[in-house]
Amino acid sequence: MRLEKCWFCSSTIYPGHGIQFVRNDAKIFRFCRSKCHKNFKMKRNPRKVKWTKAYRRLHGKDMTQVKEILHFDNHYSKFFCYTCCILPTCAVLCPALLKDSTFEFERKRNRPERYDRNLAENTLKAIKKIDKVRVDREARHHALRMKGKKAKEQKEAQKELEQHIHLLKAPAVLQEDPSLTLPKIKVKVSQQQSEENQAMEE
């Protein structure tokens, strides 16, 4: 079963699904749904549309491969990074160049191979391990992305509190002016209700 990738959003297209567009130069474009097809016809760049995988990988939101981020410049005859436009020595520093070896399995998936029973059994066993590794890496990647979020939210809340401190009343002010506090309301309880409450407590 051959699984294709959407040209615009890079999501998986299963057999019998999606839209196929063949240009005059015989180049084939496959789209997962009409939304992607319409964006393609409007000549939108997938790297600039926030909900596509190309945008998310380019901005370090998702893990990606080096080959998808680097492009070859014929003028300089060297590879450059799409995000920071410098040589691939930035792979150590640039978050966009995080390499994940589990993508290799996805690339091999569409290659036709001769059936081997032992290979098939080993592959099925390995799939569970690969899925676990990928989930762990995605969780680690998400944790790194959200590392300073809590401190940032606390800082913003503190800043907002400092700006609107005049709306709050200090306890000393409430003691000086009792009219600011809500009055206590006394409710009469019948003898029967009090007896029932005592019985329930016992």
Side-chain angles (χ1 to χ4, degrees):
M1 184 173 71
R2 188 176 291 275
L3 302 178
E4 304 291 347
K5 290 286 178 187
C6 177
W7 184 89
F8 195 81
C9 70
S10 305
S11 59
T12 309
I13 305 171
Y14 291 93
H17 294 261
I19 301 163
Q20 187 168 301
F21 170 70
V22 183
R23 206 163 56 184
N24 289 340
D25 60 352
K27 187 174 180 181
I28 298 169
F29 298 89
R30 292 181 176 87
F31 306 100
C32 58
R33 54 193 186 276
S34 59
K35 180 182 178 180
C36 296
H37 188 208
K38 285 173 185 175
N39 278 281
F40 171 77
K41 287 192 285 187
M42 285 190 278
K43 297 183 179 179
R44 285 185 178 162
N45 189 350
R47 292 193 187 94
K48 293 181 181 178
V49 182
K50 290 189 176 182
W51 50 269
T52 61
K53 286 188 180 179
Y55 177 91
R56 291 183 63 78
R57 287 174 181 175
L58 202 62
H59 291 79
K61 305 283 184 186
D62 287 343
M63 289 190 295
T64 185
Q65 289 176 292
V66 175
K67 289 182 181 178
E68 292 177 4
I69 296 293
L70 296 179
H71 67 97
F72 188 77
D73 196 313
N74 291 321
H75 180 71
Y76 294 102
S77 300
K78 290 177 181 177
F79 280 98
F80 282 82
C81 177
Y82 275 123
T83 49
C84 49
C85 297
I86 55 176
L87 290 171
T89 50
C90 64
V92 180
L93 303 172
C94 183
L97 298 181
L98 294 170
K99 189 174 181 181
D100 186 7
S101 58
T102 55
F103 283 97
E104 292 293 328
F105 293 95
E106 193 173 345
R107 189 181 295 167
K108 290 177 182 177
R109 185 174 191 171
N110 293 328
R111 292 180 192 166
E113 288 186 12
R114 194 171 182 179
Y115 179 74
D116 183 3
R117 189 167 189 170
N118 294 328
L119 181 66
E121 286 177 2
N122 293 333
T123 305
L124 290 170
K125 288 176 184 176
I127 282 171
K128 292 180 182 178
K129 292 181 182 178
I130 293 160
D131 288 340
K132 190 176 183 299
V133 168
R134 178 168 282 187
V135 167
D136 291 343
R137 286 183 182 177
E138 284 177 358
R140 225 171 20 246
H141 181 72
H142 185 266
L144 283 170
R145 275 184 60 214
M146 300 295 172
K147 198 173 182 181
K149 190 182 177 185
K150 198 170 184 180
K152 190 180 177 183
E153 285 177 353
Q154 287 177 351
K155 195 176 180 181
E156 287 175 358
Q158 191 177 358
K159 189 178 179 182
E160 190 176 353
L161 186 65
E162 287 172 0
Q163 287 176 350
H164 304 289
I165 194 72
H166 62 279
L167 298 173
L168 301 173
K169 298 291 181 183
V173 176
L174 295 174
Q175 287 176 2
E176 290 173 7
D177 190 1
S179 62
L180 296 172
T181 58
L182 292 170
K184 292 181 180 179
I185 301 168
K186 292 183 179 180
V187 180
K188 289 183 179 180
V189 181
S190 64
Q191 190 176 358
Q192 187 179 356
Q193 283 182 344
S194 61
E195 287 174 1
E196 286 177 1
N197 291 337
Q198 285 177 2
M200 287 174 70
E201 287 175 2
E202 290 173 0

